Structures are given as C-alpha cells and as structure tokens.
Amino acid sequence: MFCVKVNVRGSVGCFEFPYKVGIVGFMAYPSTNYSTTEAFRELFSDPFFELVEYSFLEEEEWRKVKEVVNKSKKEISLALQPFTLSKEGDISSLNEEVRAKAVEEIKRRIRISAERNIRTVGLTSGQDPGEGKRREAVAQLVKSLNEICEYAEKYKTFVLLEIFDRSYDKKLLMGPIGEAKEVVEEVRKSYENIGILWDLSHAPMLNESPSVLLNYKEVVSHIHVGCTKRVNEGMKDWHPSFYREGAINDVESVVELLEVLNKINYRGALSFEVKPEEGQHPQEAINVSKGVLVTAFLKYLEKNMK
C-alpha cells in the first residue's frame, strides 16, 4: 500500500490507499519479449504491488520462479484468461466435448496451483454464439462454473468470472455486468466461492462506467484497471498504458472508480492490466500506472475533503 499527503485548509494529513494493489504480470511482461524468470524477478521485487496475477506455469517453469515468489511473500493469483479465451478453453461451448475437456483442464490447473498456495483463479466465458443460441451457451457456462466451483471449493480457491466486451473485440458471451450477475447468482445457489471481475478498460466497449457498480456491489469481487484503445476500426482490448495515443480511459475515470468503490464499501483488490506497446519498456507502462493511481487517489481525497 502507499500513502499520500493532503493539505486541506491548512491541516496536513497522510492517507493510506485503502485497497490492495496488484498487477497482471503476463500482460506487463509479454512472453514474446521477456522470459518468465525476468518478469517474476521484476514484479516480485516491486514494493508497490502486493498481488501479482499470472498465467498458469507448468512445473519446469514454476521451479525457476518459486523461490522468488516465496521470498517476496506477495500474493499470487492464477490468471486462466489466456486459456479460457482460446477455442479449447471455452467453458460455455455448445460442443459438450469441448466444454467438458476445458473444465477438466481448469480443474487440473486449480489443483496444482493450490499446492503452490495460489487460492484465487480468474477466467472468462467463451465466445458469444449470437442471440439465437445465447441462452443455451449461458446454460453451458453455468454448468461449467458449478463444476469448477465445486472442485475449487475443495482447495479453498475463489473463482473470478471476468467480463469482456460483446461487440467490438473479444466478443464474449459475458458480457454486460447485469447478465454476469445472473450467472453468478445462479452458481451461488450452490457455491459461494465465485464473484465478478470488472475491468475498467472493458467498460467503454460495454457502454458501462464505474457508476454501474453501484447496482452490483454484492457480486463484484475484483477490479482491473487499464485502458481501451481507440483505432480507426473501432475500440480494441489492447490494454495500452495511460496517456498513449488512442487510450480512452484516463485519471478522471480512475477517480470515479475510487468514488464508487468507497460508496459500495468495496474491500477487494485493484490490479493494473497494461501492456507495453512497440518500443515501450514494461517499466514505463508500469510506472505510468503507478502515477495515475497516486494522482487519482490524491484527487479523490481533495474532492471529498473540501
């Protein structure tokens, strides 16, 4: 956590940021340019972050980094989004064989991760099949999440369903937060270890803003902070860092997010999800994100302490 100093009417106070701050590691250090060992060494030595989200590592890769993880005492979360965004990882597939195999692979990764003391897993729905088959796909998603949550419960693991855009880029089944809430509430009839992961960078593509969270405080369990990118073809889920050309989200949207999180008494974490663009070093994207959060928190405090 970090603190900021605020001067209000001559009185100076130091205020601690109220939420755990994390970062999506595999996005900040793309594997095409940086090794897993290099990424972990940088991320787990950074005192600004208390949580690192990373994609699943098989045993050979895990052996290279587990000492770094254990020494840091930071929390690590399993990010299965890269898998569930793939065709073979589609847990809402109308092809039962594909769906079942995806669930079994997720269970395997949850078990191995729990043995590594990783107790949170993020995942997504699959592709939106279109309005005509959407109800059937939602039923498949609920079926998968029930199976996953039942298995995860044995390992004291919490499941986060991340929602994406449906119209612009990824075009996933989930989707608008209202529909995701219905899915989560259906699963919660049997299993409590599930919530929604809401991403600030996906909000413009869903025609949502942080204020939408006021109506869904019971199901929002984690937050990603980043930017949508606007290009000639429309909006893209490319996660540029703040202030880059085409980046839609800005400091004021983070201020709004902090205001809403305070109103709903949010107690989860905020993780930055930013990806360096061509010619940009990961540390530049990361440092810009830190500056945005500190500035947004300062603006939030000054606005609410007048």
Side-chain angles (χ1 to χ4, degrees):
M1 291 188 181
F2 62 89
C3 295
V4 297
K5 187 166 68 174
V6 181
N7 188 327
V8 181
R9 295 187 296 275
S11 297
V12 178
C14 189
F15 295 86
E16 186 178 84
F17 190 70
Y19 311 112
K20 183 181 294 185
V21 182
I23 188 164
V24 181
F26 68 89
M27 189 69 75
Y29 281 85
S31 59
T32 52
N33 299 322
Y34 302 92
S35 69
T36 303
T37 304
E38 182 178 6
F40 271 65
R41 186 172 61 248
E42 293 291 332
L43 294 169
F44 281 85
S45 64
D46 191 329
F48 194 85
F49 301 112
E50 300 170 83
L51 165 68
V52 177
E53 301 176 39
Y54 218 88
S55 49
F56 179 75
L57 301 178
E58 295 292 357
E59 189 58 33
E60 183 178 353
E61 283 290 288
W62 176 251
R63 280 199 301 268
K64 297 176 184 177
V65 301
K66 66 179 181 180
E67 186 176 352
V68 173
V69 174
N70 293 336
K71 280 185 177 180
S72 76
K73 294 182 168 45
K74 294 183 189 292
E75 182 181 344
I76 183 170
S77 177
L78 175 61
L80 287 184
Q81 292 92 331
F83 175 67
T84 55
L85 285 168
S86 67
K87 289 183 179 180
E88 63 270 22
D90 187 348
I91 61 173
S92 55
S93 176
L94 300 179
N95 183 318
E96 177 59 20
E97 183 178 357
V98 170
R99 187 206 68 81
K101 283 185 177 180
V103 169
E104 288 307 307
E105 176 59 20
I106 290 169
K107 288 180 181 179
R108 182 184 78 88
R109 297 185 184 193
I110 286 175
R111 174 183 57 79
I112 294 172
S113 297
E115 292 168 356
R116 299 168 180 172
N117 202 32
I118 300 171
R119 306 288 179 175
T120 304
V121 54
L123 44 74
T124 72
S125 68
Q127 293 290 305
D128 177 27
E131 191 172 351
K133 296 184 178 180
R134 196 171 289 156
R135 181 175 295 182
E136 185 181 353
V138 169
Q140 289 287 83
L141 176 62
V142 170
K143 181 179 180 181
S144 294
L145 291 174
N146 272 318
E147 294 174 8
I148 291 166
C149 287
E150 179 182 24
Y151 189 81
E153 192 174 63
K154 299 174 184 177
Y155 293 95
K156 297 180 173 59
T157 296
F158 195 86
V159 178
L160 294 167
L161 175 64
E162 183 171 6
I163 53 180
F164 279 68
D165 77 282
R166 184 179 280 171
S167 305
Y168 290 94
D169 193 353
K170 296 297 193 296
K171 300 180 180 179
L172 298 195
L173 177 65
M174 295 285 123
I177 190 170
E179 296 180 28
K181 178 189 177 185
E182 292 177 2
V183 167
V184 167
E185 288 184 337
E186 182 62 31
V187 177
R188 281 185 176 179
K189 290 178 180 178
S190 302
Y191 309 102
E192 289 293 321
N193 57 329
I194 186 171
I196 288 174
L197 193 170
W198 189 84
D199 194 322
L200 181 66
S201 68
H202 299 159
M205 293 183 284
L206 287 164
N207 196 30
E208 295 178 352
S209 67
S211 62
V212 75
L213 302 179
L214 293 169
N215 298 318
Y216 300 99
K217 62 181 181 180
E218 299 87 358
V219 292
V220 176
S221 301
H222 191 62
I223 300 290
H224 276 175
V225 180
C227 299
T228 302
K229 188 175 181 74
R230 190 185 301 280
V231 296
N232 292 335
E233 296 79 17
M235 291 185 282
K236 296 293 183 181
D237 185 29
W238 292 351
H239 293 281
S241 64
F242 290 85
Y243 306 119
R244 301 290 288 190
E245 183 179 357
I248 293 178
N249 306 85
D250 56 17
V251 171
E252 294 306 321
S253 62
V254 180
V255 174
E256 181 188 356
L257 175 64
L258 295 179
E259 290 176 338
V260 171
L261 294 181
N262 178 61
K263 289 178 181 177
I264 66 175
N265 198 32
Y266 178 73
R267 288 295 177 264
L270 276 72
S271 291
F272 277 102
E273 187 171 15
V274 292
K275 184 177 182 180
E277 297 188 304
E278 185 175 354
Q280 186 182 29
H281 192 276
Q283 282 300 321
E284 179 187 339
I286 292 171
N287 288 338
V288 168
S289 299
K290 293 176 183 177
V292 165
L293 188 58
V294 172
T295 301
F297 186 42
L298 181 59
K299 287 191 170 191
Y300 161 78
L301 290 172
E302 290 175 338
K303 181 177 179 180
N304 289 277
M305 295 179 64
K306 291 180 179 179

